[in-house]
Amino acid sequence: MSTNTVAEEKPHAVCVPFPAQGHITPMMKLAKVLHSKGFHVTFVNTEYNHRRLIRCRGSDAVAGLSDFRFATIPDGLPPSDADATQTRRPSATPP
């Protein structure tokens, strides 16, 4: 029998922002609010955006706590220049 009761367990929120400019920061703010209210939080980012977050805010930004952690998922993009955008290049064939 478990020593933890259901009342003692924290709820767990998994935050997965749409991977586009203007979506990640507000979701991070929501994740921090949930964490401050007692939630376990897993913040899921694409690999590309996770690398950008580390580059912009430093590795401490994703160090996480025991009840606030970061996870990544593949974004389907080929490896690219770290400063490149995620926009696709126009077709080489003229219209």
Side-chain angles (χ1 to χ4, degrees):
M1 188 173 219
S2 174
T3 59
N4 290 337
T5 65
V6 174
E8 293 175 349
E9 292 182 17
K10 289 184 174 185
H12 185 187
V14 179
C15 299
V16 185
F18 185 74
Q21 184 174 357
H23 296 264
I24 297 168
T25 300
M27 182 67 78
M28 180 68 75
K29 288 179 182 179
L30 174 61
K32 288 178 179 181
V33 168
L34 292 171
H35 182 255
S36 73
K37 300 294 183 184
F39 280 71
H40 284 285
V41 174
T42 301
F43 193 89
V44 182
N45 240 334
T46 63
E47 293 168 344
Y48 178 86
N49 285 328
H50 189 75
R51 286 191 304 270
R52 288 185 68 203
L53 181 65
I54 292 170
R55 191 176 74 245
C56 293
R57 297 187 182 173
S59 60
D60 289 342
V62 296
L65 305 167
S66 62
D67 53 354
F68 192 121
R69 65 185 201 94
F70 290 86
T72 60
I73 55 174
D75 45 26
L77 297 173
S80 65
D81 178 4
D83 293 322
T85 64
Q86 290 187 2
T87 57
R88 297 184 80 192
R89 289 184 180 174
S91 168
T93 310

